[in-house]
Amino acid sequence: MTSKAFRIGGDLEVRRLGFGAMHLPTEAGPARESSLAVARRAVELGVTLIDTAYLYGGGANEELLAEALYPYPDGLVITTKVGVARSGAQGEWRLDGRPAVLRTQVEQALRRLRVERIELLQLHRIDPETPFADQLGTLRDMRAEGKIGRIGLSEVTVAELDQARGIVDVASVQNRYNVLEREHEPVLTACEHAGIAFVPWRPVAAGASGAESAIAAVASEAGATPTQVALSWLLSRSPVMVPIPGTARVDHLEENLAAEKLHLTPAQYATLDRLHQPT
């Protein structure tokens, strides 16, 4: 039977089906009120891992989650990401892993989320213009200061993961992965061997699942939606898989979380296993 929980870093237990907050509108008005309702409903339905990032509105998404959920219930983990900043020549977003930038973004996230420690802090991307050891060293130092509980990475290769593990303990990896896009299969395998949480972003192929005839056929057979089929496949694919499907609608949120109860047949899983779109 598929486990419903995973211990990130070996000790931080979360429900394996989390919530990605990236799509929640943050501007004032009815859209923001709807976003607050979605975040609160996610927690009501038992979500214990919510993913955000500084990139999502320059911290506005973090502020939204704090407004919706603070004071946080016991067991709720809000993970955020740093390492992208408006530091381009024209003020555009760019990868920026300079130690001072990372430190400032972590400090700001602590204030916005209204916490003293971020239990899981992920490096959004590796900045190729800053030594990797300096980027991870900054996060390691902040962990030693008690401001970060665990360190994760995003969009890394197996070689980069190996390099990182020589510098810090890596608790999670957040790469793009779904039933149709599996270029990071080797990274998933490496995470399995090391007991590292694999947190796939775009877990349902941005809506493409419903357009794939094999997924649609399995969904019809199972009396489920293509999105639920795609999420069920992820949960069964690996015990370290911790999907974070995102939505700005309560009905879609409820649909996503119901995937945890969907049990496909071995033949149906085999059909999905054979799907793959090379990139």
Side-chain angles (χ1 to χ4, degrees):
M1 180 179 241
T2 302
S3 173
K4 293 184 178 180
F6 182 79
R7 286 187 171 88
I8 299 176
D11 62 346
L12 184 65
E13 184 168 306
V14 298
R15 180 180 176 181
R16 287 181 60 206
L17 201 49
F19 174 67
M22 181 180 70
H23 299 295
L24 295 179
T26 58
E27 63 274 12
R32 184 181 183 87
E33 293 304 312
S34 178
S35 293
L36 295 172
V38 170
R40 291 167 181 155
R41 182 60 176 152
V43 174
E44 288 175 359
L45 292 172
V47 167
T48 57
L49 177 67
I50 297 179
D51 174 85
T52 183
Y54 173 71
L55 176 63
Y56 308 158
N61 198 266
E62 295 170 338
E63 292 175 340
L64 175 83
L65 292 174
E67 180 181 341
L69 303 172
Y70 186 86
Y72 304 114
D74 291 343
L76 178 64
V77 176
I78 297 182
T79 173
T80 191
K81 299 182 285 294
V82 297
V84 185
R86 285 191 178 276
S87 53
Q90 306 299 321
E92 70 272 17
W93 290 102
R94 63 178 288 272
L95 303 184
D96 197 336
R98 290 175 295 173
V101 171
L102 296 180
R103 181 170 283 275
T104 296
Q105 289 189 355
V106 172
E107 296 281 7
Q108 291 174 342
L110 289 168
R111 288 194 295 271
R112 281 190 290 263
L113 291 171
R114 309 178 200 176
V115 295
E116 296 183 355
R117 181 168 99 154
I118 295 169
E119 291 298 338
L120 176 62
L121 189 286
Q122 300 181 109
L123 184 64
H124 209 147
R125 295 290 188 276
I126 298 172
D127 175 6
E129 297 180 8
T130 302
F132 196 18
D134 290 353
Q135 298 174 65
L136 292 179
T138 300
L139 301 183
R140 181 187 58 204
D141 290 347
M142 297 196 79
R143 187 183 63 187
E145 295 164 15
K147 297 176 179 178
I148 295 172
R150 295 152 200 83
I151 296 169
L153 303 170
S154 182
E155 283 302 291
V156 293
T157 65
V158 171
E160 289 165 340
L161 175 57
D162 287 343
Q163 182 183 355
R165 295 184 67 211
I167 302 170
V168 297
D169 292 329
V170 177
S172 67
V173 169
Q174 186 168 335
N175 282 14
R176 184 177 69 180
Y177 185 91
N178 55 64
V179 67
L180 298 177
E181 298 171 301
R182 306 183 208 172
E183 62 269 32
H184 291 299
E185 197 81 42
V187 181
L188 171 59
T189 299
C191 287
E192 285 181 343
H193 290 163
I196 295 171
F198 188 85
V199 185
W201 63 269
R202 206 160 91 165
V204 292
S209 299
E212 168 57 52
S213 60
I215 297 176
V218 170
S220 179
E221 291 175 3
T225 68
T227 292
Q228 290 172 332
V229 167
L231 290 171
S232 179
W233 178 83
L234 281 175
L235 290 171
S236 69
R237 173 65 188 81
S238 169
V240 304
M241 192 80 72
V242 184
I244 47 167
T247 180
R249 290 174 47 176
V250 169
D251 58 335
H252 285 170
L253 169 71
E254 294 173 347
E255 173 190 341
N256 292 343
L257 295 177
E260 191 178 66
K261 301 176 182 178
L262 177 61
H263 301 292
L264 303 177
T265 67
Q268 289 168 336
Y269 281 123
T271 295
L272 299 173
D273 286 341
R274 289 192 291 270
L275 295 175
H276 188 211
Q277 292 181 350
T279 57

